[in-house]
Amino acid sequence: MAPQGLIAHGRGEAFDYLFGETTPKSSRLATKAAVALLLSARNPVISVNGNTAALVPREIVKLARSVPAQLEINLFHKSAAREQRIASLLKRNGAINVLGASASAKVRIPGVASARRSVDPRGIGGADVVLVPLEDGDRAEALRKTGKMVIAIDLNPMSRTSQTASVTIVDNILRAIPELVSCTLRMKHLSRSRLRAITSSFDNQGNLSRVIGDMVRYMHGWM
Ligand code: ATP
């Protein structure tokens, strides 16, 4: 994990205490909407950064296999050596194909200044739905601008990522990914029209307000 990754992790943990380190009820609704989006996507892709690989390597591979979705490594602190290490960690945990770790053709996401702008055209570049755990706001916003549906996992409901995503799961990634896997297995056999009904009835802004309400109620319990 990069040192900046450790700081981002600490920021996340601070928010986790504000929920009592449990999954808020409102986040379960977002998980259901996220699964409906992933299952109805034409080309769903899971973006993997250093923190995600370090925290949930086995579970993220399980999720990719159960949807199925592609895995693409996308790093802020990019180096070929880090990409290779993360790719082999994912492969040791059962991944068959991992994008983003070779010098294959890359396309740019307009509006992203960091190294994260460079993506694989078969993966994030051509995706209609992208799951972006522990994202930075710039890239989440830029992905939305290219017309992709973005699913974020972020413990801070007020971050730019949370506010710009199409579906935001406010939860610790350690709990959110296993929950996404079991929800995917439960919803896998739903019809397309049922999946569409779930996604179109989901209101991300409204749900984020409910998440903040859950946080405030939990803190009231301490007063
Ligand atoms: P933004 O640009 O979206 O406003 P930021 O500048 O804080 O946010 P990053 O530094 O990339 O963005 O931080 C990543 C986000 O990941 C933070 O909002 C943090 O709350 C969240 N986060 C960190 N660890 C976890 C975790 N284990 N589970 C879920 N979210 C986490």
Side-chain angles (χ1 to χ4, degrees):
M1 221 189 251
Q4 292 82 353
L6 288 173
I7 295 168
H9 183 71
R11 258 203 313 281
E13 277 192 328
F15 276 97
D16 208 6
Y17 297 142
L18 305 182
F19 292 111
E21 296 170 274
T22 55
T23 301
K25 205 169 145 202
S26 37
S27 297
R28 297 190 192 280
L29 262 183
T31 299
K32 210 171 152 194
V35 169
L37 262 185
L38 288 168
L39 289 174
S40 45
R42 180 181 38 77
N43 184 15
V45 178
I46 301 173
S47 180
V48 181
N49 67 359
N51 284 34
T52 302
L55 293 169
V56 282
R58 182 174 296 271
E59 294 76 8
I60 204 89
V61 172
K62 235 189 207 174
L63 179 63
R65 293 180 83 139
S66 57
V67 173
Q70 301 198 80
L71 287 165
E72 178 167 344
I73 299 169
N74 184 275
L75 306 176
F76 191 89
H77 299 283
K78 194 179 164 72
S79 78
R82 281 194 85 209
E83 287 171 346
Q84 286 306 331
R85 277 202 301 275
I86 293 173
S88 58
L89 174 66
L90 295 175
K91 285 184 178 161
R92 281 202 303 281
N93 281 282
I96 294 163
N97 192 28
V98 180
L99 300 173
S102 66
S104 63
K106 298 274 170 142
V107 290
R108 281 181 171 213
I109 311 169
V112 181
S114 74
R116 301 194 79 176
R117 64 179 171 261
S118 176
V119 295
D120 192 307
R122 297 163 300 168
I124 294 170
D128 51 345
V129 175
V130 192
L131 170 63
V132 291
L134 323 185
E135 190 68 5
D136 61 272
D138 285 354
R139 202 175 75 115
E141 212 166 22
L143 285 169
R144 284 292 290 132
K145 280 195 184 139
T146 62
K148 299 178 196 303
M149 298 299 275
V150 171
I151 301 165
I153 299 173
D154 192 332
L155 274 160
N156 176 1
M158 291 157 287
S159 74
R160 212 144 44 93
T161 302
S162 290
Q163 295 289 329
T164 47
S166 325
V167 174
T168 306
I169 301 170
V170 180
D171 199 4
N172 196 319
I173 192 171
L174 293 168
R175 297 188 297 269
I177 302 290
E179 191 56 36
L180 278 166
V181 173
S182 55
C183 199
T184 300
L185 298 176
R186 278 199 309 274
M187 288 174 59
K188 226 177 149 61
H189 304 293
L190 294 184
S191 66
R192 290 215 151 249
S193 60
R194 183 76 194 101
L195 293 174
R196 228 184 345 261
I198 294 171
T199 51
S200 56
S201 65
F202 182 77
D203 163 19
N204 203 44
Q205 280 305 323
N207 203 56
L208 284 170
S209 302
R210 271 193 290 274
V211 171
I212 294 168
D214 286 341
M215 207 179 240
V216 169
R217 264 187 299 281
Y218 175 77
M219 284 192 282
H220 265 296
W222 285 92
M223 288 165 74

